[in-house]
Amino acid sequence: MIFRENTKGDLKSLERIYPAAFPDEDLLPVVRSLLTGSVDVLSIVAEDNGKVVGHVAFTICSVGDVSVGLLAPLCVDPAQHKQGIGSALVREGVKGLQERAIDKVLVLGDPAYYGRFGFATERAIHPPYPMPEDWADAWQSVSLGTGADQIEGPLIVPDVWQDPSLWG
Ligand SMILES: CC(C)(COP(=O)(O)OP(=O)(O)OC[C@H]1O[C@@H](n2cnc3c(N)ncnc32)[C@H](O)[C@@H]1OP(=O)(O)O)[C@@H](O)C(=O)NCCC(=O)NCCS
């Protein structure tokens, strides 16, 4: 298994695995924008014997004048779930963000999954759109130990994420 930054050529594989992993949600428009647009993003694929089997993206966003990473989406080919690929993608991405001196990563996702990487409920950084009350615990962050822990305010996201349907 290798983990590498994506190329535009990976899009075809992602067009196969995203609908399989997210049968009720079409994330391909976002994925295409992240891979082919001008968004500042760290986008990593997992490749197994030449076949792309997973993907994660971290969009560089800001809170005031501090850069933060927004983890989304994360996807593993359902045929290869529970082999540690999702975890390895998250950890590779976090390492890449630390190398870029990013202080914090945010995610909207299942606390039962992201908790294993140290993510915890985030209250001081506000998502770009109000979320349903019962989703409050799904908005999480992890600090990357670069010292700027006290970040607060609204999360400023690039155009690709300015769509309320992606937030609730
Ligand atoms: C979530 C996902 C990326 C995990 O990928 P993976 O390669 O199977 O993950 P790992 O092998 O690293 O970890 C698997 C573990 O996470 C657990 N897990 C997976 N999804 C979970 C969830 N939503 N909540 C809690 N635990 C979850 C599995 O049960 C498994 O537990 P175990 O280690 O006790 O067996 C994958 O299931 C997927 O693509 N799901 C569909 C898309 C999705 O939900 N993406 C995340 C959006 S927030």
Side-chain angles (χ1 to χ4, degrees):
M1 186 80 58
I2 63 165
F3 298 90
R4 58 169 174 79
E5 289 201 39
N6 78 264
T7 65
K8 285 185 183 171
D10 294 320
L11 201 48
K12 227 180 157 84
S13 304
L14 300 185
E15 286 171 346
R16 174 181 53 82
I17 64 173
Y18 267 91
F22 289 89
D24 302 324
E25 202 179 351
D26 182 9
L27 287 173
L28 285 175
V30 171
V31 172
R32 288 190 193 104
S33 293
L34 292 176
L35 263 72
T36 61
S38 56
V39 187
D40 188 4
V41 64
L42 174 61
S43 171
I44 298 173
V45 293
E47 188 183 303
D48 186 23
N49 285 323
K51 189 178 172 196
V52 171
V53 295
H55 173 244
V56 68
F58 295 80
T59 303
I60 307 305
C61 303
S62 57
V63 181
D65 55 6
V66 179
S67 292
V68 297
L70 174 66
L71 191 175
L74 167 66
C75 172
V76 172
D77 185 336
Q80 296 197 240
H81 281 179
K82 296 200 176 199
Q83 296 174 26
I85 300 171
S87 300
L89 280 165
V90 172
R91 295 202 169 99
E92 283 292 319
V94 164
K95 203 167 70 186
L97 292 179
Q98 277 173 317
E99 283 162 9
R100 293 177 63 163
I102 298 292
D103 294 310
K104 215 171 186 87
V105 183
L106 293 124
V107 71
L108 179 61
D110 195 329
Y113 187 65
Y114 290 102
R116 65 178 65 199
F117 311 108
F119 282 87
T121 305
E122 172 62 56
R123 302 244 188 253
I125 299 174
H126 310 299
Y129 299 94
M131 285 183 314
E133 190 50 42
D134 55 351
W135 282 38
D137 288 346
W139 180 236
Q140 301 155 78
S141 71
V142 66
S143 293
L144 303 188
T146 48
D149 265 358
Q150 301 306 318
I151 308 172
E152 55 185 19
L155 179 71
I156 309 299
V157 295
D159 284 359
V160 57
W161 290 112
Q162 290 176 22
D163 174 352
S165 71
L166 296 169
W167 295 89

